[in-house]
């Protein structure tokens, strides 16, 4: 949805701000250089091949399209397409010799290619106009028409670029960048992927060159010389190598900066060079990386805060010693089932189960610090006492279904208050010997406090089999209600959680369920857990971390004897 709104803003931008021809030209140039820099980003940022001749491919695309239109009367769309393909062919021709070259030597070779192309174009006067260049090149349209044409092309190219870099090809290119020898060991074809990067990157530059020719209407060899190649290199470095949106930031800075300093008379080359030095020294990953981090931390914070304070319009509140405990209820059977959710969860996770299990009274609670329950102590022992207090006040003796972090709560409840429950069903629970959060994942926990998109990505990743996206969005909104001060304490306590010895005292029947597609827990962890609890382990095929959400009917069939 956010991409749709961004696209809508870009479409309406010229009308909202009533942009002049001058400003539209600047924006059009920014998009053109973004296209060219994206190609270089694929070669350098993703594959790790140093190229200082990228401007040559822009010149090939620009001159090819201009010549086809002016001298052969080829329709403009076809001339741009042919120019793009021809640039890719030249990239193929340069890519094979580049296979034997690395680092400095590859940089010198590509630089020589750029100088050679510039000199050849300048010497071929009858066709290219020599160093004087070519004038009166047919344009895409006026500046506004050009804006929309280039915008559509850019969006398509970004989409294609993301497809390339986010799947197998992207992983192979990154593996080559990090360590070609290790990449080969894992079956990556170095020849294929290195040449592929050069072909696609060159085609992007050729497309940018062709659009440049038909936007400005004039081209000359010096427009695409070695200086242009170095500027494209600087755009990629400043924007952020290996980041899809990096070229956008670098190109915007490169295009807009000269117009800010044009009246001062100060050299923009010095300014741009100084920015390059500062970025390399203090922002080595590029502007886009740090901007993206700021967005992750603060960009969606207003949405998160609004979701956090929004109260649920369903369920009831039960007043307990620590405050209120929110819960929802369904069914009216004699048997009672109490459902305890996991980390970043809420009582709503059990709604699919409630919709199908009508012959039993089901209560699903929001643990303290979750959903609409009161904020309180963040310890698992406290959660177990709170659930026991809820059970006593409701005067029930339920079968308990506990999920993930709630599984640890359910185990503690069975150890400390065995008289409070009839049986215990653990759905992909925290293992009896704890679940340690890897050190490299700790920064993501901070983002869970402020960024809805990150939370959504995690939940969607756990619920791959769930088709009801509206329901998933409700779960995401409820996840944001979790007390942010509890995030780190939960991770810390789950890492230290160990009840292997105490588990032997559990006397109620225990069933442990594990989905074979679960990415958080392993089969060995669940086998150890079931063994320590003297319980039964059942493995569910084609199920992930939350069986009662992903396949409620299968879940009911498996656990019916324990409910």
């Amino acid at each position: 949805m956010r991409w749709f709104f961004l696209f809508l803003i870009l479409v309406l931008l010229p009308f909202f701000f009533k942009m002049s021809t001058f400003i539209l030209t600047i924006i059009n140039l920014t998009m053109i250089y973004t296209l060219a820099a994206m190609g270089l980003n694929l070669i350098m940022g993703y594959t790790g091949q140093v190229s200082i001749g990228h401007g040559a491919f822009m010149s090939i695309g620009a001159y090819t399209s201009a010549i086809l239109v002016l001298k052969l009367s080829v329709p403009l769309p076809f001339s741009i397409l042919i120019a793009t393909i021809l640039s890719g062919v030249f990239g193929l021709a340069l890519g094979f010799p580049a296979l034997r070259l690395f680092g400095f030597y590859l940089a010198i070779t590509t630089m020589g290619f750029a100088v050679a192309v510039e000199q050849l174009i300048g010497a071929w006067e009858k066709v290219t106009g020599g160093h004087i260049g070519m004038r009166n090149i047919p344009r895409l349209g006026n500046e506004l028409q050009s804006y929309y044409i280039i915008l559509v092309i850019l969006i398509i190219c970004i989409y294609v670029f993301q497809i390339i870099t986010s799947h197998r090809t992207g992983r192979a290119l990154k593996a080559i960048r990090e360590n070609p020898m290790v990449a080969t060991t894992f079956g990556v074809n170095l020849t294929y992927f290195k040449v592929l990067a050069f072909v696609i990157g060159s085609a992007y530059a050729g497309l940018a060159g062709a659009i440049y020719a038909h936007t400005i209407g004039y081209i000359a060899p010096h427009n695409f010389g070695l200086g242009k190649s170095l500027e494209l290199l600087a755009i990629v470095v400043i924007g952020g190598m290996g980041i899809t949106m990096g070229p956008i930031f670098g190109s915007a800075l490169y295009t807009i900066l000269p117009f800010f300093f044009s009246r001062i008379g100060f050299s923009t080359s010095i300014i741009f060079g100084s920015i390059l030095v500062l970025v390399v020294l203090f922002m080595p990953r590029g502007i886009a990386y740090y901007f993206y981090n700021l967005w992750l931390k603060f960009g969606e914070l207003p949405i998160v805060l609004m979701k956090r304070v929004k109260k649920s319009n369903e369920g009831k509140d039960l007043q307990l010693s620590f405050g209120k405990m929110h819960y929802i209820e369904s069914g009216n059977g004699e048997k009672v089932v109490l459902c305890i959710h996991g980390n970043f969860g809420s009582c709503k996770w059990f709604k699919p189960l409630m919709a199908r299990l009508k012959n039993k009274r089901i209560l699903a609670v929001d643990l303290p610090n979750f959903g609409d329950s009161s904020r309180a102590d963040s310890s698992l022992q406290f959660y177990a006492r709170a659930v026991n207090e809820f059970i006593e006040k409701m005067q029930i003796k339920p079968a308990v279904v506990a999920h993930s972090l709630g599984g640890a709560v359910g185990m503690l409840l069975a150890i400390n208050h065995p008289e409070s429950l009839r049986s215990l069903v653990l759905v992909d629970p925290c293992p009896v010997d704890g679940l340690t959060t890897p050190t490299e994942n700790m920064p993501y926990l901070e983002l869970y406090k402020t960024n809805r998109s990150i939370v959504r990505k995690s939940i969607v990743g756990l619920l791959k089999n769930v088709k009801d996206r509206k329901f998933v969005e409700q779960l995401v909104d409820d996840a944001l209600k979790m007390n942010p001060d509890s995030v780190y304490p939960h991770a810390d306590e789950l890492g230290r959680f160990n009840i292997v010895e105490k588990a032997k005292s559990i006397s109620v029947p225990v069933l442990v369920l594990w989905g074979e597609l679960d990415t958080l827990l392993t089969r060995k962890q669940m086998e150890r857990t079931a063994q320590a609890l003297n319980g039964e382990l059942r493995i569910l095929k084609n199920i992930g971390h939350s069986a009662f959400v992903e396949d409620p009917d299968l879940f009911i069939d498996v656990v019916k004897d324990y409910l």
Side-chain angles (χ1 to χ4, degrees):
M1 182 63 70
R2 67 180 184 275
W3 293 112
F4 171 77
F5 282 118
L6 179 59
F7 176 73
L8 190 63
I9 289 171
L10 291 172
V11 169
L12 300 177
L13 194 64
F15 297 101
F16 279 137
F17 294 96
K18 296 181 180 180
M19 294 179 179
S20 65
T21 300
F22 175 72
I23 294 176
L24 282 172
T25 301
I26 294 174
I27 296 175
N28 290 341
L29 287 174
T30 300
M31 292 191 288
I32 290 170
Y33 287 122
T34 297
L35 276 173
M38 281 173 63
L40 184 58
N41 192 26
L42 185 68
I43 296 171
M44 288 187 61
Y46 283 86
T47 319
Q49 302 181 96
V50 182
S51 175
I52 311 183
H54 210 61
F57 297 110
M58 279 191 74
S59 66
I60 292 170
Y63 273 94
T64 299
S65 186
I67 291 169
L68 288 174
V69 173
L70 284 174
K71 300 184 180 298
L72 300 178
S73 300
V74 175
L76 199 148
F78 291 105
S79 70
I80 293 176
L81 178 62
I82 294 169
T84 304
I85 294 171
L86 186 61
S87 299
V89 171
F90 273 91
L92 178 67
L94 183 62
F96 276 108
L99 291 173
R100 295 179 174 271
L101 302 171
F102 300 93
F104 175 78
Y105 299 100
L106 178 57
I108 292 296
T109 301
T110 54
M111 183 175 68
F113 175 74
V115 173
V117 170
E118 182 183 3
Q119 294 302 315
L120 283 172
I121 291 175
W124 202 5
E125 293 186 12
K126 291 184 179 179
V127 178
T128 64
H131 291 285
I132 297 175
M134 300 181 70
R135 301 178 183 275
N136 300 320
I137 300 171
R139 301 195 179 193
L140 297 173
N142 60 40
E143 279 70 17
L144 184 60
Q145 291 170 335
S146 298
Y147 170 81
Y148 287 117
I149 293 172
I150 300 171
L151 177 63
V152 170
I153 293 173
L154 179 62
I155 290 172
I156 293 172
C157 288
I158 290 175
Y159 178 72
V160 172
F161 189 91
Q162 286 188 311
I163 291 176
I164 294 170
T165 56
S166 62
H167 292 82
R168 179 177 177 272
T169 300
R171 292 192 292 271
L173 296 178
K174 292 173 186 176
I176 294 171
R177 177 191 66 195
E178 298 302 325
N179 194 315
M181 188 176 295
V182 173
T184 304
T185 304
F186 282 93
V188 176
N189 188 325
L190 293 184
T191 301
Y192 172 78
F193 285 106
K194 279 189 170 184
V195 172
L196 179 67
F198 254 102
V199 170
I200 297 175
S202 304
Y204 268 70
L207 175 61
I211 296 173
Y212 177 90
H214 296 292
T215 300
I216 303 301
Y218 166 77
I219 54 174
H222 67 268
N223 293 139
F224 311 102
L226 184 59
K228 183 64 68 181
S229 296
L230 293 173
E231 288 167 355
L232 290 173
L233 176 63
I235 287 173
V236 173
V237 172
I238 291 173
M241 289 199 298
I243 302 175
T244 303
M245 296 299 155
I248 297 176
F249 288 87
S251 299
L253 192 66
Y254 168 75
T255 310
I256 296 172
L257 199 63
F259 298 101
F260 278 108
F261 293 94
S262 58
R263 295 184 180 181
I264 302 176
F266 199 77
S267 174
T268 54
S269 297
I270 296 175
I271 303 265
F272 198 63
S274 301
I275 291 174
L276 178 60
V277 172
L278 292 173
V279 167
V280 171
L281 288 176
F282 301 106
M283 303 174 71
R285 295 194 178 186
I287 295 173
Y289 173 80
Y290 297 94
F291 181 87
Y292 183 61
N293 275 355
L294 285 173
W295 171 261
L296 288 178
K297 290 179 181 179
F298 305 110
E300 297 186 13
L301 187 56
I303 298 174
V304 172
L305 293 176
M306 285 191 295
K307 298 292 185 182
R308 191 168 289 160
V309 299
K310 185 179 179 181
K311 300 300 180 183
S312 175
N313 57 2
E314 57 183 315
K316 305 174 184 177
D317 294 329
L318 183 65
Q319 198 65 34
L320 302 177
S321 60
F322 69 90
K324 67 176 182 179
M325 179 172 276
H326 183 78
Y327 69 98
I328 55 177
E329 182 176 359
S330 71
N332 52 10
E334 294 182 3
K335 300 287 187 179
V336 180
V337 178
L338 178 65
C339 301
I340 307 174
H341 61 78
N343 212 12
F344 291 95
S346 72
C347 57
K348 290 180 183 177
W349 280 68
F350 297 96
K351 290 177 73 174
L353 181 63
M354 291 177 159
R356 290 165 174 80
L357 204 59
K358 298 291 188 180
N359 62 339
K360 289 180 174 60
R361 183 187 178 196
I362 303 179
L363 301 170
V365 298
D366 283 339
L367 290 172
N369 296 313
F370 292 89
D372 291 322
S373 291
S374 297
R375 302 306 184 231
D377 185 7
S378 298
S379 70
L380 298 176
Q381 288 284 3
F382 176 78
Y383 293 163
R385 291 197 300 271
V387 172
N388 183 62
E389 187 180 350
F390 177 86
I391 290 173
E392 290 179 345
K393 199 155 188 178
M394 294 292 290
Q395 298 181 346
I396 57 175
K397 188 172 183 178
V400 173
V401 176
H403 175 232
S404 198
L405 173 141
V409 176
M411 295 178 213
L412 293 173
L413 181 67
I415 292 171
N416 300 328
H417 309 282
E419 73 287 350
S420 296
L421 64 162
R422 293 185 289 108
S423 60
L424 180 61
V425 177
L426 300 172
V427 187
D428 296 82
C430 169
V432 288
D433 52 357
L435 181 64
T436 303
T437 301
T439 305
E440 61 270 19
N441 289 350
M442 294 303 287
Y444 287 100
L445 294 180
E446 188 66 30
L447 295 178
Y448 287 163
K449 300 179 185 180
T450 60
N451 191 280
R452 187 183 187 277
S453 297
I454 296 293
V455 175
R456 183 184 184 279
K457 186 176 181 180
S458 297
I459 291 177
V460 170
L462 293 175
L463 302 176
K464 295 177 181 177
N465 296 327
V466 179
K467 305 300 182 184
D468 187 352
R469 289 305 171 193
K470 184 177 180 180
F471 175 62
V472 173
E473 296 301 328
Q474 290 179 356
L475 300 185
V476 174
D477 289 342
D478 269 17
L480 299 175
K481 292 183 178 182
M482 176 182 164
N483 184 359
D485 294 332
S486 300
V487 173
Y488 283 119
H490 287 167
D492 178 62
E493 188 169 2
L494 287 174
R496 293 184 289 105
F497 186 76
N498 193 320
I499 58 163
V500 175
E501 293 301 321
K502 294 180 179 180
K504 297 175 183 178
S505 66
I506 293 180
S507 56
V508 299
V510 177
L511 172 64
V512 179
L513 297 182
W514 178 69
E516 65 174 2
L517 301 182
D518 192 343
T519 56
L520 295 179
L521 304 167
T522 66
R523 179 169 181 162
K524 288 186 177 180
Q525 287 175 318
M526 294 298 96
E527 287 174 347
R528 289 200 304 269
T529 298
Q531 184 179 7
L533 298 171
N534 295 317
E536 178 186 1
L537 173 65
R538 294 191 185 179
I539 298 170
L540 306 180
K541 293 185 177 181
N542 300 317
I543 295 295
H545 189 64
S546 311
F548 54 88
V549 181
E550 298 174 54
D551 195 337
D553 295 320
L554 173 64
F555 176 81
I556 292 171
D557 185 59
V558 172
V559 305
K560 58 186 178 183
D561 293 336
Y562 286 82
L563 301 185

